[in-house]
Amino acid sequence: MRDVSDDGSSEHRYGGVFLWQGFEHEWLRSVLGFSVPHRVSRLDNYIDRQRSEDWRRDASADFHFGQETGVDGNYMQPIGRYAALSAAHLCAHSGVAEFAWTDEGEGKRFPQARSDLAREVHVPATALSADMEGGGYVAVLNGIALRSRCDPAKQPSTSPGNSHGFWPFKLAFRVGDVSASADGLRFDVSAAIHRAWTPMRGGLPPFEEKPFNHRLDYELEIHYAVLGMAAGHLVTARERVELSGSVHDRRPRSGRVTLPLDGAAVGSFGIAGFGFELKRSGTAERFGHLGRYISGMTLGADAAPLDADRGVLDVDCSLGVWCPKTVVNSHADYFLDVVGIGLPESATVLAGGRARGKLCSNSHGAPFFSVWNGCDDSERGPECRCYTVPIRAEFSE
Amino acid sequence: MKTKQAIGVAERQATKRALGLLVHHFGYRGAARVLGRVVYGQLRGEPFRRLGPASSRRERLSRRQCGGAVLLDRAIARASDADTASSIVGEVISTGGMEFLEKMVPNAGIEQMRVRAAEVVDSFFNAEGQTSFDDDGSFRFDVHRCHFVELLGKVDASHLARHFCQVDERFFTSGQRPIQLRRTGTIASGGSGCDFHFSPLGDE
């Protein structure tokens, strides 16, 4: 799927920006000491409504969280990572690339449904500051919001759906490099959402099997920001970090990338892409089903302050998808596209920001033995599938 | 016989997929127009009419497998644009190709595949090359000639060749068989050959 769209619902600002730096989502309910994993039917983690009267003083924005279990109940306290920049003459333009589609399962032995999406975004020249002509530009993600729905009318009568969720084996989201021309800026946004059955066909055959939804309806928002500055003031470097592990690794994998930002006095980073892919990791027939119930996902990074003497920014990445031992193990490949952003001495960087949300879902349609209605006023919080945290940056004392 | 059956099944699946995608993009009337152009082209012996008769069984089967994709690509590009055509044709080739490989590649581990390597690679009529066996249990199929690439080049449809390459990659990286494929280059992407390197999976 590929098309071109003019950047419609968007906002632009001058003087500063919040940078999205990844997330940690983990279901916290356990039964008999085992974490309860789930399909994915919703995954929101993004920043929007960035606002300030004067970016030299302070600014605020909203950090959004969302995740749903599908059928069973559970709760989490998701974390969003961010940094804030204040820099004179920095132009930041935010927007959302929206996709809506229906996928379709293919294959008899190992059914899978794959969605590969791409779109070119056009930011018209009118949205940019007049003094940005000939400037440097870079695009980064502000996060994503993904929803899936199972429409019973779209399933074969022999295999009705029982959940809006899916068992992912590949999720990937990216923004590409920016090309500037007289009519504005252009860059690609792309996503891959691949799903499959689990090795145990969603349950524990022959006692229980859950159907592989033949078709799912999706809505995806890819939130992005384009940063620009007059020529020579913005230094950028893009690198990909690739790590591998097993989904039974409780701790995310760590990797460091050193970004050359020569000539910059201060710096931070944004994320231009992230994702994971689960691989077949056994010869037995069941390993051909690549989907998994997921307990946790950590896909993000932190950076030390820019080393201006060496002209480099060290970024430490944490990448992992975690499943408990009750889920068949799988090899997993992860990637993170990191974009270093170097700025002049007059700029201010507030690094290491963390926003924490609170999500809780009671069981809806679960079998009697797994019903859980634990959402309340305790630490789990009331039933809440999306949560917004205001975030704030104080640049001047 | 097995090859022709596999092609038949793949063609049916690809047609079904094409129909769904065309209706989604162009509505029933638009889809009928596009398919009408494809059928008309096939009846006229296109897209390979001017090349004369196929010189071998391999070429004849290769023409059958990639000819429909060329006509579909042309018909969609006429109704819409080249990007849309490439995107739809890529999905159709993927569906048909996955079905073809499902029928042709034995559901076996690397040991069995090594035993049947000659038989398996021979069923891929579009590719000519050599098999060899490594001491670590893996085996290689080094392709030096691809009929798809040659035929598509002759009818100005080289841009479709990569879709056929992607099917192999998708099939073997999506867990359909308990073996791994590593390939560092393809003829379609300008290389001198396609180096298929099949190796065992690690058991859990």
Side-chain angles (χ1 to χ4, degrees):
Chain A
M1 192 185 299
R2 181 176 180 85
D3 57 20
V4 182
S5 67
D6 271 354
D7 179 84
S9 60
S10 57
E11 52 186 40
H12 46 274
R13 305 169 295 284
Y14 303 105
V17 70
F18 283 91
L19 293 170
W20 182 81
Q21 296 181 328
F23 65 93
E24 297 161 40
H25 282 211
E26 182 182 340
W27 293 115
L28 297 173
R29 181 186 157 212
S30 63
V31 172
L32 302 173
F34 291 102
S35 165
V36 180
H38 296 282
R39 282 171 267 193
V40 176
S41 58
R42 177 177 193 157
L43 179 62
D44 298 356
N45 193 289
Y46 63 92
I47 296 174
D48 72 356
R49 295 191 62 236
Q50 301 191 29
R51 53 205 182 268
S52 173
E53 300 258 311
D54 182 353
W55 279 91
R56 287 169 299 183
R57 268 203 337 258
D58 56 27
S60 56
D62 291 342
F63 210 120
H64 298 269
F65 300 95
Q67 191 157 350
E68 290 180 20
T69 55
V71 174
D72 276 326
N74 212 324
Y75 67 101
M76 66 163 62
Q77 293 178 349
I79 291 170
R81 306 180 186 200
Y82 65 93
L85 305 183
S86 166
H89 311 301
L90 176 73
C91 168
H93 178 92
S94 304
V96 184
E98 295 176 329
F99 299 85
W101 76 100
T102 303
D103 73 0
E104 186 164 347
E106 288 186 301
K108 291 183 184 72
R109 192 193 303 266
F110 304 118
Q112 299 178 344
R114 295 168 166 247
S115 301
D116 292 292
L117 317 148
R119 171 177 298 169
E120 185 179 78
V121 173
H122 175 220
V123 180
T126 50
L128 305 167
S129 164
D131 64 5
M132 289 304 302
E133 211 168 296
Y137 300 94
V138 66
V140 293
L141 289 167
N142 266 346
I144 58 145
L146 172 67
R147 258 147 257 197
S148 64
R149 287 287 174 270
C150 176
D151 179 350
K154 293 178 180 172
Q155 311 309 317
S157 56
T158 51
S159 179
N162 84 323
S163 167
H164 293 306
F166 61 91
W167 298 287
F169 70 91
K170 180 176 181 179
L171 291 179
F173 308 91
R174 285 188 196 98
V175 290
D177 291 331
V178 177
S179 65
S181 62
D183 69 340
L185 306 177
R186 288 176 188 274
F187 58 94
D188 285 339
V189 296
S190 61
I193 293 155
H194 297 181
R195 64 183 176 92
W197 232 345
T198 70
M200 298 297 188
R201 299 182 179 206
L204 195 61
F207 306 108
E208 188 202 20
E209 252 183 44
K210 289 175 182 149
F212 175 77
N213 292 327
H214 186 61
R215 291 191 182 91
L216 280 181
D217 298 328
Y218 295 88
E219 289 175 5
L220 170 66
E221 295 175 357
I222 298 183
H223 294 252
Y224 59 81
V226 186
L227 314 185
M229 247 180 145
H233 288 84
L234 180 68
V235 186
T236 63
R238 182 176 176 138
E239 291 279 348
R240 166 165 293 195
V241 179
E242 291 180 323
L243 300 171
S244 293
S246 130
V247 296
H248 281 172
D249 295 338
R250 183 71 178 76
R251 289 165 62 91
R253 309 291 290 180
S254 302
R256 171 172 283 195
V257 60
T258 299
L259 300 164
L261 296 174
D262 216 13
V266 295
S268 186
F269 72 95
I271 290 174
F274 68 92
F276 70 87
E277 182 169 9
L278 309 184
K279 295 287 178 63
R280 181 167 178 159
S281 43
T283 53
E285 180 82 359
R286 68 176 189 277
F287 285 106
H289 298 295
L290 300 183
R292 293 293 187 275
Y293 286 101
I294 304 286
S295 265
M297 280 183 262
T298 297
L299 295 154
D302 286 307
L306 177 91
D307 184 336
D309 294 338
R310 288 166 57 222
V312 297
L313 183 75
D314 288 326
V315 179
D316 293 313
C317 305
S318 300
L319 307 176
V321 169
W322 174 62
C323 307
K325 292 273 163 57
T326 49
V327 169
V328 175
N329 201 7
S330 173
H331 177 86
D333 291 336
Y334 312 105
F335 79 91
L336 195 72
D337 290 332
V338 184
V339 175
I341 297 162
L343 298 165
E345 197 169 4
S346 56
T348 308
V349 173
L350 299 178
R354 292 282 192 280
R356 186 183 289 270
K358 220 175 202 188
L359 302 172
C360 192
S361 296
N362 286 324
S363 296
H364 292 278
F368 72 92
F369 56 83
S370 68
V371 167
W372 184 85
N373 291 311
C375 301
D376 54 23
D377 292 332
S378 70
E379 56 159 50
R380 295 186 289 265
E383 184 149 33
C384 173
R385 284 143 194 247
C386 56
Y387 195 93
T388 301
V389 178
I391 54 175
R392 191 173 167 76
E394 306 266 354
F395 294 106
S396 63
E397 294 178 6
Chain B
M1 189 62 187
K2 188 186 171 194
T3 305
K4 281 192 176 170
Q5 275 177 352
I7 294 178
V9 173
E11 282 174 344
R12 280 195 292 281
Q13 290 298 324
T15 305
K16 213 169 121 186
R17 182 76 172 138
L19 200 58
L21 289 166
L22 291 173
V23 169
H24 174 77
H25 278 81
F26 306 114
Y28 286 103
R29 192 177 288 185
R33 254 199 306 272
V34 169
L35 285 179
R37 284 194 193 116
V38 173
V39 172
Y40 179 67
Q42 282 175 328
L43 290 174
R44 285 169 47 87
E46 296 293 358
F48 302 116
R49 191 166 67 150
R50 70 181 170 82
L51 301 184
S55 60
S56 64
R57 173 182 171 273
R58 283 179 177 275
E59 188 184 335
R60 194 176 69 250
L61 292 173
S62 299
R63 285 187 183 197
R64 178 173 166 185
Q65 212 173 27
C66 69
V70 176
L71 294 173
L72 183 64
D73 184 61
R74 288 179 185 169
I76 298 171
R78 204 169 138 184
S80 174
D81 58 75
D83 275 353
T84 306
S86 182
S87 160
I88 293 174
V89 172
E91 290 196 43
V92 172
I93 290 173
S94 176
T95 298
M98 290 290 282
E99 199 65 38
F100 179 75
L101 293 178
E102 174 62 39
K103 297 282 177 223
M104 298 304 294
V105 179
N107 184 27
I110 196 77
E111 298 84 6
Q112 276 289 314
M113 289 288 280
R114 278 169 65 105
V115 171
R116 299 172 64 182
E119 172 204 338
V120 172
V121 300
D122 191 52
S123 62
F124 297 107
F125 43 80
N126 66 297
E128 292 180 31
Q130 277 189 320
T131 52
S132 56
F133 302 94
D134 294 342
D135 293 339
D136 61 0
S138 61
F139 82 91
R140 303 175 61 91
F141 179 37
D142 289 299
V143 176
H144 57 75
R145 183 177 184 194
C146 176
H147 286 281
F148 286 159
V149 175
E150 291 177 13
L151 288 166
L152 293 170
K154 286 176 184 168
V155 295
D156 293 329
S158 294
H159 60 285
L160 297 181
R162 68 185 167 93
H163 294 308
F164 288 94
C165 303
Q166 282 166 358
V167 174
D168 301 323
E169 199 155 313
R170 177 180 161 187
F171 185 81
F172 288 103
T173 60
S174 65
Q176 304 293 322
R177 294 292 181 271
I179 52 176
Q180 291 186 84
L181 166 66
R182 199 175 74 238
R183 191 176 56 189
T184 60
T186 62
I187 298 171
S189 62
S192 58
C194 310
D195 57 336
F196 291 81
H197 185 201
F198 296 99
S199 56
L201 286 174
D203 245 323
E204 285 305 317

